[in-house]
Amino acid sequence: MWDRIRRSGTRIVDSLRTEPPTGGRETRTHNLFEAAAAYVSACAEDDQDRIDEASAWVSPEALSFGVNELACRAVIALARERDESPRTVARALLGLPAA
């Protein structure tokens, strides 16, 4: 009896999966921060194939959040390194005049 319940549960869970079955191969899922790091580095290197690949790892909303978080952390780290305010660093990176 428990075996039938387990098989039914497995079928239900499998039907809810959004990714196609892998045919026995284990696939690795990526989190939004991995996707953001891959996406931003691919953009910096102008590698469209890697941009497309990283974009497919997570939803557009999650990727946007990850890119935003990466930008904030990068500006903070650079500001600490330069001993400047994050605002000054962000404006300098974008080529804007000092406020």
Side-chain angles (χ1 to χ4, degrees):
M1 181 174 140
W2 292 112
D3 190 48
R4 286 195 319 184
I5 293 172
R6 183 185 55 79
R7 283 194 308 248
S8 293
T10 301
R11 279 195 300 267
I12 291 169
V13 169
D14 286 344
S15 71
L16 296 174
R17 293 188 194 280
T18 58
E19 297 176 1
T22 60
R25 290 187 354 214
E26 185 176 322
T27 59
R28 184 176 180 283
T29 59
H30 301 276
N31 69 36
L32 65 102
F33 297 116
E34 289 175 316
Y39 179 83
V40 169
S41 63
C43 287
E45 296 170 356
D46 198 26
D47 185 341
Q48 189 61 48
D49 291 336
R50 284 181 41 223
I51 291 170
D52 294 340
E53 180 184 357
S55 297
W57 290 350
V58 295
S59 71
E61 296 83 11
L63 183 61
S64 177
F65 175 80
V67 169
N68 182 60
E69 186 66 23
L70 177 60
C72 290
R73 291 179 186 196
V75 168
I76 289 168
L78 195 53
R80 287 179 182 157
E81 185 178 294
R82 293 182 179 182
D83 198 27
E84 296 177 346
S85 74
R87 182 178 185 190
T88 300
V89 170
R91 294 183 67 83
L93 288 172
L94 292 172
L96 300 173

